[in-house]
Amino acid sequence: MDLFWTYLKCFAVGGLLCVAGQLLIDYTRLTPARILTIFVVAGVVLGALGLYQPLVDWAGAGATVPLTGFGNALAKGVKKAVAESGLLGAFTGGLTASAGGICAAVLFGLLAALLSRPKDKN
């Protein structure tokens, strides 16, 4: 039964983040790219202020998988790298912390491009 509540919390938080994005698409003139950027920046800001980690602890993947979680990972990586390397860590920490996700996105994008056939829009 405990696993059920874990999945429910994960689904609820991830779903609410998606609902927020859909509402922004439906009721504002923001483009999807700008909304995605807003989510990443919000994750960075909330992560840097220490406000996102309690949500991650409570909701797990429901908070780490969406783009706000990516922003939070960037902020955590920068904090850690600055503590270890000083100012240079501000430039390297975010990439180090999120390298796995970035690598997976590039790899799966390449696979999708190789395995699909583009069609003319006409």
Side-chain angles (χ1 to χ4, degrees):
M1 192 60 158
D2 191 39
L3 189 61
F4 171 76
W5 291 112
T6 301
Y7 286 145
L8 186 65
K9 290 188 294 188
C10 178
F11 179 78
V13 170
L16 286 174
L17 289 170
C18 291
V19 165
Q22 189 63 49
L23 289 173
L24 288 172
I25 289 172
D26 290 345
Y27 294 111
T28 67
R29 299 189 70 160
L30 294 171
T31 63
R34 289 184 180 178
I35 293 169
L36 297 176
T37 303
I38 289 169
F39 277 170
V40 172
V41 171
V44 168
V45 171
L46 292 173
L49 295 174
L51 300 174
Y52 202 77
Q53 191 59 42
L55 183 63
V56 169
D57 294 339
W58 186 73
T64 58
V65 171
L67 283 172
T68 50
F70 177 70
N72 180 50
L74 290 174
K76 283 176 29 178
V78 168
K79 275 182 165 179
K80 180 180 176 188
V82 166
E84 293 173 358
S85 306
L87 183 59
L88 184 61
F91 300 105
T92 62
L95 289 175
T96 303
S98 59
I102 293 170
C103 182
V106 170
L107 177 67
F108 291 124
L110 176 65
L111 286 174
L114 292 174
L115 297 175
S116 65
R117 288 187 181 187
K119 295 181 182 177
D120 192 13
K121 290 186 179 185
N122 294 327

